mmCIF file of all heavy atoms in Angstrom:
data_model
loop_
_atom_site.group_PDB
_atom_site.id
_atom_site.type_symbol
_atom_site.label_atom_id
_atom_site.label_comp_id
_atom_site.label_asym_id
_atom_site.label_seq_id
_atom_site.Cartn_x
_atom_site.Cartn_y
_atom_site.Cartn_z
ATOM 1 N N LEU B 133 117.080 73.402 87.060
ATOM 2 C CA LEU B 133 115.819 74.156 86.957
ATOM 3 C C LEU B 133 115.800 75.002 85.686
ATOM 4 O O LEU B 133 114.760 75.154 85.052
ATOM 5 C CB LEU B 133 115.622 75.038 88.192
ATOM 6 C CG LEU B 133 115.386 74.286 89.507
ATOM 7 C CD1 LEU B 133 115.265 75.254 90.666
ATOM 8 C CD2 LEU B 133 114.128 73.425 89.433
ATOM 9 N N LYS B 134 116.971 75.511 85.326
ATOM 10 C CA LYS B 134 117.069 76.298 84.093
ATOM 11 C C LYS B 134 116.745 75.405 82.894
ATOM 12 O O LYS B 134 115.990 75.791 81.992
ATOM 13 C CB LYS B 134 118.487 76.872 83.984
ATOM 14 C CG LYS B 134 118.640 77.901 82.901
ATOM 15 C CD LYS B 134 120.046 78.437 82.841
ATOM 16 C CE LYS B 134 120.220 79.230 81.557
ATOM 17 N NZ LYS B 134 121.450 78.967 80.894
ATOM 18 N N LEU B 135 117.303 74.197 82.917
ATOM 19 C CA LEU B 135 117.022 73.250 81.822
ATOM 20 C C LEU B 135 115.545 72.855 81.796
ATOM 21 O O LEU B 135 114.944 72.722 80.737
ATOM 22 C CB LEU B 135 117.888 71.993 81.976
ATOM 23 C CG LEU B 135 119.375 72.156 81.673
ATOM 24 C CD1 LEU B 135 120.123 70.856 81.944
ATOM 25 C CD2 LEU B 135 119.593 72.562 80.222
ATOM 26 N N MET B 136 114.981 72.687 82.990
ATOM 27 C CA MET B 136 113.552 72.339 83.089
ATOM 28 C C MET B 136 112.706 73.423 82.434
ATOM 29 O O MET B 136 111.738 73.142 81.741
ATOM 30 C CB MET B 136 113.146 72.203 84.551
ATOM 31 C CG MET B 136 113.267 70.836 85.113
ATOM 32 S SD MET B 136 112.566 70.873 86.762
ATOM 33 C CE MET B 136 112.930 69.241 87.315
ATOM 34 N N ARG B 137 113.073 74.681 82.681
ATOM 35 C CA ARG B 137 112.322 75.802 82.094
ATOM 36 C C ARG B 137 112.457 75.787 80.575
ATOM 37 O O ARG B 137 111.496 76.025 79.855
ATOM 38 C CB ARG B 137 112.822 77.140 82.652
ATOM 39 C CG ARG B 137 112.396 77.404 84.069
ATOM 40 C CD ARG B 137 112.482 78.879 84.415
ATOM 41 N NE ARG B 137 113.828 79.391 84.332
ATOM 42 C CZ ARG B 137 114.734 79.279 85.289
ATOM 43 N NH1 ARG B 137 114.429 78.648 86.395
ATOM 44 N NH2 ARG B 137 115.944 79.773 85.148
ATOM 45 N N GLU B 138 113.660 75.476 80.110
ATOM 46 C CA GLU B 138 113.892 75.441 78.656
ATOM 47 C C GLU B 138 113.129 74.290 77.994
ATOM 48 O O GLU B 138 112.644 74.402 76.884
ATOM 49 C CB GLU B 138 115.387 75.303 78.375
ATOM 50 C CG GLU B 138 116.144 76.604 78.588
ATOM 51 C CD GLU B 138 117.654 76.438 78.547
ATOM 52 O OE1 GLU B 138 118.138 75.345 78.226
ATOM 53 O OE2 GLU B 138 118.333 77.427 78.856
ATOM 54 N N GLN B 139 113.036 73.175 78.727
ATOM 55 C CA GLN B 139 112.380 71.990 78.158
ATOM 56 C C GLN B 139 110.859 72.006 78.344
ATOM 57 O O GLN B 139 110.164 71.171 77.784
ATOM 58 C CB GLN B 139 112.960 70.721 78.800
ATOM 59 C CG GLN B 139 114.394 70.460 78.391
ATOM 60 C CD GLN B 139 115.064 69.371 79.217
ATOM 61 O OE1 GLN B 139 114.407 68.640 79.937
ATOM 62 N NE2 GLN B 139 116.376 69.273 79.110
ATOM 63 N N ASN B 140 110.393 72.943 79.141
ATOM 64 C CA ASN B 140 108.954 73.012 79.404
ATOM 65 C C ASN B 140 108.215 73.576 78.187
ATOM 66 O O ASN B 140 108.393 74.732 77.822
ATOM 67 C CB ASN B 140 108.709 73.898 80.631
ATOM 68 C CG ASN B 140 107.254 74.006 80.984
ATOM 69 O OD1 ASN B 140 106.490 73.076 80.746
ATOM 70 N ND2 ASN B 140 106.869 75.135 81.547
ATOM 71 N N THR B 141 107.387 72.745 77.557
ATOM 72 C CA THR B 141 106.695 73.171 76.338
ATOM 73 C C THR B 141 105.238 73.548 76.594
ATOM 74 O O THR B 141 104.508 73.862 75.658
ATOM 75 C CB THR B 141 106.745 72.047 75.285
ATOM 76 O OG1 THR B 141 106.276 70.851 75.902
ATOM 77 C CG2 THR B 141 108.145 71.852 74.733
ATOM 78 N N SER B 142 104.852 73.488 77.857
ATOM 79 C CA SER B 142 103.448 73.778 78.176
ATOM 80 C C SER B 142 103.074 75.218 77.810
ATOM 81 O O SER B 142 103.831 76.155 78.077
ATOM 82 C CB SER B 142 103.211 73.544 79.666
ATOM 83 O OG SER B 142 101.935 73.993 80.001
ATOM 84 N N GLU B 143 101.891 75.359 77.203
ATOM 85 C CA GLU B 143 101.425 76.698 76.823
ATOM 86 C C GLU B 143 100.718 77.372 78.003
ATOM 87 O O GLU B 143 100.508 78.573 77.999
ATOM 88 C CB GLU B 143 100.427 76.587 75.669
ATOM 89 C CG GLU B 143 101.029 75.990 74.417
ATOM 90 C CD GLU B 143 99.960 75.549 73.419
ATOM 91 O OE1 GLU B 143 98.769 75.550 73.784
ATOM 92 O OE2 GLU B 143 100.336 75.206 72.299
ATOM 93 N N HIS B 144 100.330 76.537 78.975
ATOM 94 C CA HIS B 144 99.558 77.064 80.108
ATOM 95 C C HIS B 144 100.459 77.451 81.269
ATOM 96 O O HIS B 144 101.366 76.714 81.627
ATOM 97 C CB HIS B 144 98.532 76.025 80.582
ATOM 98 C CG HIS B 144 97.429 75.832 79.602
ATOM 99 N ND1 HIS B 144 96.338 76.648 79.557
ATOM 100 C CD2 HIS B 144 97.284 74.930 78.611
ATOM 101 C CE1 HIS B 144 95.543 76.248 78.567
ATOM 102 N NE2 HIS B 144 96.104 75.205 77.986
#
Side-chain angles (χ1 to χ4, degrees):
Chain B
L133 293 178
K134 191 180 168 223
L135 288 177
M136 269 186 185
R137 286 200 298 277
E138 284 170 7
Q139 291 169 13
N140 181 30
T141 52
S142 172
E143 298 165 351
H144 290 276

